Amino acid sequence: MPHLHIEYTANLPDLDEQALMAALNQVVCSHPSVLHDSEVKARIHRIASFRIGTQPQDRAFVHVLLQLLEGRSEATRQELAQALGAVLRQQVPPRPGLHVQLSVDVAEMNRPCYYKHQG
């Protein structure tokens, strides 16, 4: 724990997935609320089929969901959301003719309902 889920639309073919995951992981791993970098798990999904409003041909998005076990303050979650958003702005530059929406959601996971086994 934490888990990073990254989704982006297929009309961003030049998105460097590895660079984006590395930069996002760096933000989360370096945050004082995260004790071990080995706990941060990232995955990225390219969305081939999507619709944004009524004109998907000139619209795109990159969305990051960071899931944390409950117990961190709202200020900590806001700080992480802002830092992850800054990474998105750096890693996903504007593209002429394409409206790209960048978003981050930091969600809490219910500690009693989270299962993890390390072998």
Side-chain angles (χ1 to χ4, degrees), residues 1-6 20-29 39-45 64-67 84 104-105:
M1 203 42 240
H3 289 270
L4 267 169
H5 302 267
I6 306 141
L20 179 58
M21 282 192 295
L24 292 168
N25 266 18
Q26 181 61 39
V27 165
V28 178
C29 290
E39 297 294 314
V40 180
K41 297 162 215 59
R43 74 278 281 155
I44 193 163
H45 303 281
V64 174
L65 169 62
L66 174 61
Q67 293 179 291
L84 293 170
V104 176
D105 182 19

Side-chain angles (χ1 to χ4, degrees), residues 40-84:
V40 180
K41 297 162 215 59
R43 74 278 281 155
I44 193 163
H45 303 281
R46 183 174 180 247
I47 309 297
S49 183
F50 66 94
R51 180 165 288 279
I52 302 169
T54 59
Q55 300 173 324
Q57 67 276 4
D58 65 347
R59 297 174 182 171
F61 70 80
V62 181
H63 177 71
V64 174
L65 169 62
L66 174 61
Q67 293 179 291
L68 302 166
L69 284 176
E70 62 190 357
R72 291 172 176 90
S73 69
E74 185 174 317
T76 293
R77 294 190 313 273
Q78 288 175 339
E79 184 178 296
L80 283 162
Q82 292 299 317
L84 293 170

